[in-house]
Amino acid sequence: MEDKEYNSGGFMRLVSEESCSSTVTDELCVNNYQTEIFNQLPSSLARRRSLNYHQDRGTTETSHPVEKYPGLAGEARDKATTQPIRSLPVCMQRKREARDLRHLQTDTVGRWESWKRNQSINRKRLGEQVGEAMARLLPWSSILHTIEGLLRFEGNDSVLDFFVGSGFLERSPVFYGFYARSSLDLLCLNTPLLFLLGTLTVLILSLVMVVRRTVVGYKHTWLLGNRYNIHMSYKVFCGWDFCIQDPEVADLKRSFIRNELKLYLEEERFQQREARRTLGQWAHLYSLRGLLHFLVLVLLGGAFCLIYYATMASKAERNGDYLILRLLLHYLPPIVITLVNFFLPHVFRHISSFEDYSLTTQVNATLVRSIFLKLASLGIYLFFLLPNSQQECWENQFGKEMYKLSVFDFLACFCNTFFIAYPRKWFVDRYPSSWLARLSGKQHFLIPFNVLDLVYSQTVTWVGLFYCPMLPFIETVKLMAVFYIKKLTVLQFCVPAQRMFRASSSSVLFHFMLLLGLIMAVITLGITLHQFEPSSSCGPFVGSATVFNVTAVCVDSLPGPAQSTLRYLSSEAFVLPLILAQIVVLTSFESRRRANGKAIERLKDMLVMSTSDKHFLLKQHTLSLRRQKKTFKAPTTVSGTREGSSTTMKDPSAGIGEDSHIAQLKDPSA
């Protein structure tokens, strides 16, 4: 049964039961019903009678927005005259009527009022456009909105999912299983290929930057080695920057020079003490160092055993336990790894103090042991985690473990600052004479250990990059938060260290440790991709025997010359010319290094000789002036003779001092 309706324009509209059952027609019916109810209100009838009365008398006045827009209510009616028509909360028919009424109202209210209303509408539109443009400039705004639209919450989701990485996070772009073959499914432009190339690009760029920083740091350390040590006189008389005008900067520069002098004096004192050792003292020292090395190995073995038992206990978790117990079992390996990495480096630092090394050697020995502990503990954990990778969507499970390591590392930093450092600072300041305050003492901010924490965090990020693609973004946010937490710690809760630390002597070691972490991540990724097939239930590589099959499909679709070139570059035949090219490049760099070394030695000799020439010319000029003065001065009086003799007596001492200074310049070790 169809009914006919006629609108104000004379067009006929067919309304049937089927059309009313649709969503659009339901909204129209609801809007029409609300309009009818609104028109039957006594206030609407009164206003309508008043409007008819004024129209009969021929008077023109601005009608109320209710009469102009009967389908509006509340605040929308009050702003109807300035609000854009497309944003009115009414149906399309009412928007057309509002547009017609506005055109009629333009002639009624006058040009000035119409112009003001148009300007108001334009300003609102401009504000909306500027707001949208500013929103697009925010980093990752559109990506985050897209992710928000895809985070599906179900009935079994809980707060535990955020810490464990399950539930809604498992269905989000955080983990490997979210990415699948989409509409972008061409031969050389598809999701699996882009996923693999993105991971390889990040790893290659990281390798290039780390190697570059390591080489630059080694070059700087080699140039400022033992042969180019700066003497104490230079640090005392030439260490100040006279361009400094800010008092705070001056205090910092003064503290820096004071710390450098303390470190230099301590190293000089150690060298003197080492030179006075006897043969028996050396034998006793080496025996003690051997025992301490054995103790370090025992501690490392015990730490690895703890990590093994924690991993096995985490695998044997039960689903029927309480929430806190399940959370503890999930985080048992990260908890053990974090506790081991927190306590053992301090033990290594105290052990190195008994080995009687120099300050720089003590710091480097502690760093080597600590980074071996951190990387080896992570490697042991990954080794015992890999055999459990034959389950459904094992890539997500592996990514969850890396996610939990990153999250718990941040939680450990937060808890250490606000639940350990702050109470310790408060207790020591409040009860300084108590035995517990004297035993704990004030906390020192140890730069090497904090740098090692950064190396560990970056290694975890590289290891989990393929299985948790959003882990670099999470790690970036975490590092920004950790920076301000560490800033609060060092400025409010810590005191300067008693022993100075020279960053230039260990910067190369830090970069080398970072390079070891990257190599470890690449080896782990290569082993997992080579030994285990991609999951058949999740991920972009569903249905592929290996991850690298996507590259073979792309290469087969290329033209013949391109296929031949790529296959040659990936074959064993290309290894020989590559090795030869590397040998040529390394030989050229070695030749340049030797030539630069010889040039530096010649420049040093020229500098010493130029300094000697200046002193010799100064001495000759002084002697010639004295001869001229002696020639013009008549030696008639006794006083003059005595003065001349006294002047002559001063010359040998001055010459001896200048000759000794020239000898010192020629031999810097003097």
Side-chain angles (χ1 to χ4, degrees), residues 276-570:
R276 292 192 299 266
R277 286 175 183 167
T278 62
L279 182 60
Q281 291 176 348
W282 278 110
H284 178 268
L285 181 60
Y286 280 119
S287 301
L288 178 62
R289 289 177 180 177
L291 292 175
L292 293 177
H293 284 312
F294 178 75
L295 178 60
V296 169
L297 293 178
V298 171
L299 292 175
L300 290 174
F304 298 155
C305 291
L306 285 177
I307 295 172
Y308 167 74
Y309 286 116
T311 307
M312 295 298 105
S314 178
K315 288 182 179 180
E317 61 172 327
R318 295 172 295 176
N319 295 327
D321 295 326
Y322 294 101
L323 178 64
I324 301 299
L325 184 58
R326 286 194 289 117
L327 182 62
L328 182 63
L329 288 175
H330 274 293
Y331 273 92
L332 188 58
I335 289 173
V336 173
I337 293 175
T338 302
L339 292 178
V340 165
N341 292 336
F342 179 77
F343 287 106
L344 282 188
H346 294 279
V347 177
F348 295 156
R349 181 169 62 90
H350 290 290
I351 288 177
S352 64
S353 63
F354 291 101
E355 293 176 335
D356 200 9
Y357 289 116
S358 64
L359 179 60
T360 304
T361 307
Q362 288 182 22
V363 172
N364 292 335
T366 305
L367 290 178
V368 170
R369 292 167 179 171
S370 301
I371 196 60
F372 178 77
L373 169 68
K374 290 178 179 292
L375 296 182
S377 60
L378 182 60
I380 293 294
Y381 177 56
L382 294 176
F383 176 77
F384 293 117
L385 185 67
L386 288 180
N388 196 25
S389 300
Q390 295 295 339
Q391 55 187 348
E392 183 180 0
C393 199
W394 62 269
E395 293 91 348
N396 270 16
Q397 302 300 324
F398 193 87
K400 288 179 185 178
E401 300 300 327
M402 299 299 103
Y403 173 80
K404 287 188 290 186
L405 286 176
S406 180
V407 171
F408 190 79
D409 185 47
F410 172 74
L411 294 178
C413 177
F414 182 85
C415 295
N416 181 37
T417 300
F418 295 100
F419 297 106
I420 297 179
Y422 174 71
R424 179 180 177 181
K425 169 74 173 177
W426 177 84
F427 185 80
V428 171
D429 292 342
R430 186 72 179 271
Y431 307 100
S433 59
S434 62
W435 67 272
L436 185 59
R438 292 195 301 268
L439 180 63
S440 61
K442 295 183 178 181
Q443 183 176 357
H444 300 282
F445 189 81
L446 302 176
I447 298 177
F449 293 162
N450 287 275
V451 175
L452 290 183
D453 293 337
L454 297 178
V455 174
Y456 171 76
S457 300
Q458 186 61 50
T459 304
V460 172
T461 305
W462 282 328
V463 172
L465 175 64
F466 186 81
Y467 307 101
C468 186
M470 294 293 291
L471 190 59
F473 173 74
I474 297 173
E475 193 69 24
T476 302
V477 176
K478 188 193 83 171
L479 288 179
M480 294 174 62
V482 166
F483 171 77
Y484 290 102
I485 293 176
K486 294 291 185 180
K487 178 183 177 182
L488 177 66
T489 303
V490 71
L491 295 180
Q492 301 296 331
F493 307 144
C494 294
V495 295
Q498 296 178 354
R499 309 188 73 176
M500 298 297 105
F501 169 72
R502 180 177 291 171
S504 60
S505 61
S506 302
S507 60
V508 179
L509 185 60
F510 287 142
H511 290 100
F512 181 72
M513 294 172 182
L514 197 61
L515 181 61
L516 289 180
L518 179 58
I519 294 174
M520 175 183 172
V522 172
I523 292 175
T524 304
L525 181 61
I527 292 175
T528 53
L529 294 182
H530 179 71
Q531 291 188 353
F532 303 102
E533 296 183 359
S535 298
S536 58
S537 59
C538 66
F541 302 97
V542 174
S544 300
T546 61
V547 172
F548 301 100
N549 280 353
V550 294
T551 58
V553 174
C554 178
V555 171
D556 293 338
S557 63
L558 296 177
Q563 293 185 24
S564 303
T565 303
L566 292 177
R567 288 196 175 98
Y568 174 73
L569 293 177
S570 60

Side-chain angles (χ1 to χ4, degrees), residues 186-224:
L186 303 177
L187 292 177
C188 287
L189 188 61
N190 49 63
T191 304
L193 186 60
L194 293 178
F195 191 90
L196 179 61
L197 291 180
T199 304
L200 294 178
T201 302
V202 172
L203 293 177
I204 291 174
L205 289 178
S206 301
L207 178 63
V208 170
M209 289 187 290
V210 172
V211 169
R212 179 180 178 275
R213 292 300 305 168
T214 305
V215 172
V216 171
Y218 175 75
K219 186 188 301 183
H220 179 74
T221 305
W222 180 77
L223 289 176
L224 297 180

